[in-house]
Amino acid sequence: MIDLHTHILPGLDDGAQDIDDALGLAELAVEGGVYTLVATPHSNQEGRFENYAGESLQAVYQKLQHEINREHIPLKVLLGMEIYASEDIKEKIENGLLIGLNHTKYYLVEFPFECEQYWIGQCLEDILDCGKIPLIAHPERYMCVQEYPALLYEWIRMGCFSQINKGSLFGRFGRRAYTAAHVLMQNQLVTCVASDAHTPYMRTTYMRDVREYI
């Protein structure tokens, strides 16, 4: 399996806090059947988790891959971001501050859980206007999608993709996210399922259970 959404890079956000956490996540990924994952630290959260593209982010990524290789963990890590939506997201993409998954045209983007549907649609259009493809992170956790799941159908028609969290399918983010995740799955509105892993103890990279469940 390939896991497209993880917070494995140590010390950058509310995910892995140190290299031990990161290696624990790497080991669990392999144990659960994942051979490649994308490190997607929270990015573009001004004043909190900015993590824009540059030498600092690249150095943390390279150090992690070095340590994984040194421990002989058979896992390939690619670099990406979980990009927090903003009014200037188009400008930041064009200026190279924000990157896609493995530097491709697929941009993992998240929104505030209580965000208005109209603003989400406008932000997605801005990303599409850049020639990029939004991969909407955990739409089942957004209140507007929980209330009107057909919104995701409209965004997919625009050219977007969707990623739901493993934990949502098991009810770990509450009843509303659980219900929305299953409605989206039943209506074939889910492009992929990812771990959105944060630690080796909770919200882990282990994916075998959700693969069997699906």
Side-chain angles (χ1 to χ4, degrees):
M1 286 177 284
I2 300 173
D3 190 353
L4 295 180
H5 184 171
T6 71
H7 296 273
I8 193 174
L9 291 186
L12 293 185
D13 58 14
D14 58 347
Q17 294 304 293
D18 52 35
I19 193 63
D20 289 336
D21 278 355
L23 291 175
L25 284 166
E27 290 172 346
L28 282 169
V30 173
E31 182 182 337
V34 172
Y35 61 86
T36 299
L37 60 74
V38 186
T40 53
H42 289 294
S43 302
N44 200 37
Q45 293 188 20
E46 293 188 3
R48 191 182 182 210
F49 304 131
E50 297 184 352
N51 294 323
Y52 295 115
E55 293 181 2
S56 178
L57 180 62
Q58 188 70 25
V60 176
Y61 162 67
Q62 290 178 343
K63 177 175 173 52
L64 173 61
Q65 187 65 76
H66 173 76
E67 292 296 323
I68 287 174
N69 294 340
R70 191 167 70 88
E71 294 295 325
H72 304 290
I73 302 171
L75 178 70
K76 184 176 183 180
V77 179
L78 307 174
L79 183 60
M81 295 176 168
E82 182 181 18
I83 301 165
Y84 198 71
S86 63
E87 295 285 351
D88 59 352
I89 194 169
K90 183 177 181 180
E91 177 183 347
K92 287 176 176 173
I93 290 174
E94 292 174 341
N95 290 337
L97 293 175
L98 304 175
I99 61 172
L101 303 178
N102 194 29
H103 300 278
T104 65
K105 62 183 178 179
Y106 299 94
Y107 279 59
L108 181 68
V109 57
E110 69 166 333
F111 297 88
F113 294 152
E114 298 181 1
C115 188
E116 294 288 338
Q117 65 191 66
Y118 306 105
W119 191 78
I120 292 178
Q122 181 59 61
C123 187
L124 295 173
E125 287 184 1
D126 288 344
I127 297 171
L128 289 163
D129 286 345
C130 293
K132 313 301 183 184
I133 298 176
L135 175 59
I136 304 169
H138 42 63
E140 77 281 2
R141 301 184 69 189
Y142 305 144
M143 290 183 63
C144 60
V145 175
Q146 292 172 355
E147 295 174 3
Y148 305 105
L151 286 173
L152 187 57
Y153 173 71
E154 297 301 326
W155 298 334
I156 289 174
R157 286 186 64 191
M158 289 168 55
C160 304
F161 290 147
S162 67
Q163 170 263 307
I164 67 172
N165 282 2
K166 172 186 74 170
S168 296
L169 289 171
F170 295 139
R172 294 170 187 160
F173 297 106
R175 172 58 59 177
R176 289 170 63 90
Y178 172 84
T179 300
H182 283 82
V183 168
L184 299 178
M185 288 283 289
Q186 290 163 5
N187 287 277
Q188 301 182 11
L189 296 176
V190 176
T191 307
C192 63
V193 178
S195 69
D196 192 3
H198 278 65
T199 75
Y201 318 105
M202 296 179 62
R203 296 177 67 177
T204 75
T205 45
Y206 188 86
M207 293 289 283
R208 194 178 306 281
D209 52 355
V210 75
R211 178 176 182 173
E212 293 172 353
Y213 180 79
I214 292 171

